[in-house]
Amino acid sequence: MQYPLYQVDAFTDHLFGGNPAAVVPLKTWLPDETMQLIARENNLAETAFFIPLEGHDHFHIRWFTPTTEVNLCGHATLATAFVVFNCLKSNYANKISFQSKSGWLHVMHDHDMLILDFPTDSLKSATLPEAAREGFSTLPQEVWLGREDYLLLYQSEAEVLALRPDFKTLAKEPVRGFIATAPGERSDFVSRCFFPAAGIDEDPVTGSAHTTLTPFWAHKTGKTDLSAIQVSERRGYLQCSLEEDRVLISGKARLFLEGRFWC
């Protein structure tokens, strides 16, 4: 059988920026093994698969890296919403909802901006394990642990940009990954995200990490509306708002590819 496939650059206003995600609309789920093989074939940070649920604007979404299924992915959700609103030629309103392993996720459409409505992460003070300490060229000022990631606070954007992690060493830690962050020179904060255990050495732009970063920086700065740049090579630009136990993460997206594959 043949299936549609889209590739979308998320959290950017231009092609070849932000974070590329593959999006596969389905009527019913394919076997898990097949979806994992498709994600491996796409060889992007994430491939999103989604099916319709009862209700005109409700879907079930799942995300796969080239090596594993993950519990939450922001940029591939943004990319999926872009496909729903712009490519499926259906008369959706300005809000759709996705059922996921992390609960209900909502996406609003406001002109060319897409706004993710995600649950916040919770953080506790932590100590970086010795193996992880060996994996970083510069050690952070503070270390925090969320549901799946370590958050590492650095003094400056320059320190974050200069990091050269040892990915093989970091991949040994039983967490999804590591979020390095610091105050930004042109934004409230910057970040870089490393997920070698999930098959992604450095993720270009990570929406899910901003469910951790937004409450962290809201507490640090006293602000609930924050501008963010993920300072990877491709760069990603996000606007984040803290609303009690939810985070609104806004960004743009651009369609790069539309095609079909046979499976």
Side-chain angles (χ1 to χ4, degrees), residues 1-221:
M1 293 183 63
Q2 59 178 293
Y3 300 90
L5 172 70
Y6 302 87
Q7 187 171 320
V8 177
D9 290 340
F11 293 116
T12 180
D13 61 1
H14 62 276
L15 289 176
F16 313 116
N19 200 353
V23 179
V24 180
L26 297 170
K27 294 181 180 178
T28 59
W29 292 122
L30 296 171
D32 288 6
E33 296 82 0
T34 302
M35 290 190 287
Q36 185 63 74
L37 287 171
I38 294 167
R40 187 174 73 182
E41 189 77 6
N42 290 332
N43 199 31
L44 297 170
E46 263 89 13
T47 296
F49 301 86
F50 70 102
I51 62 172
L53 295 175
E54 290 186 12
H56 178 63
D57 52 4
H58 288 67
F59 305 89
H60 190 182
I61 191 169
R62 296 172 68 182
W63 313 274
F64 290 79
T65 76
T67 61
T68 190
E69 184 174 7
V70 296
N71 293 323
L72 183 64
C73 179
H75 85 277
T77 304
L78 191 88
T80 301
F82 179 91
V83 169
V84 171
F85 284 123
N86 294 281
C87 304
L88 297 188
K89 303 186 187 305
S90 298
N91 186 27
Y92 292 103
N94 64 350
K95 179 180 178 180
I96 56 177
S97 298
F98 295 99
Q99 187 183 66
S100 78
K101 287 190 172 184
S102 294
W104 280 101
L105 312 174
H106 312 289
V107 187
M108 283 76 76
H109 187 213
D110 185 8
H111 300 289
D112 61 347
M113 189 73 73
L114 293 164
I115 307 165
L116 304 178
D117 179 347
F118 278 20
T120 57
D121 195 1
S122 57
L123 287 165
K124 59 182 180 182
S125 181
T127 300
L128 200 61
E130 185 61 33
R133 291 171 64 89
E134 295 174 0
F136 283 98
S137 54
T138 304
L139 293 179
Q141 290 181 313
E142 299 176 15
V143 179
W144 299 81
L145 181 61
R147 284 189 297 266
E148 296 188 289
D149 304 316
Y150 280 101
L151 187 150
L152 314 179
L153 176 65
Y154 287 89
Q155 184 173 353
S156 68
E157 181 174 329
E159 279 191 332
V160 172
L161 285 167
L163 290 174
R164 298 294 182 265
D166 181 338
F167 296 121
K168 289 184 178 180
T169 299
L170 296 182
K172 298 175 184 178
E173 290 300 322
V175 292
R176 183 181 73 156
F178 301 84
I179 305 167
T181 189
E185 296 176 0
R186 302 171 192 81
S187 59
D188 290 306
F189 64 89
V190 297
S191 66
R192 291 175 68 191
C193 294
F194 312 110
F195 306 122
I200 308 163
D201 286 345
E202 180 167 2
D203 197 33
V205 194
T206 314
S208 61
H210 288 76
T211 68
T212 306
L213 289 160
T214 302
F216 177 81
W217 283 106
H219 176 75
K220 286 280 187 185
T221 64

Side-chain angles (χ1 to χ4, degrees), residues 198-242:
I200 308 163
D201 286 345
E202 180 167 2
D203 197 33
V205 194
T206 314
S208 61
H210 288 76
T211 68
T212 306
L213 289 160
T214 302
F216 177 81
W217 283 106
H219 176 75
K220 286 280 187 185
T221 64
K223 301 168 63 174
T224 55
D225 294 317
L226 297 150
S227 60
I229 304 175
Q230 194 156 329
V231 288
S232 64
E233 182 179 354
R234 292 176 64 106
R235 295 282 169 128
Y237 299 86
L238 311 91
Q239 293 294 324
C240 306
S241 298
L242 182 64

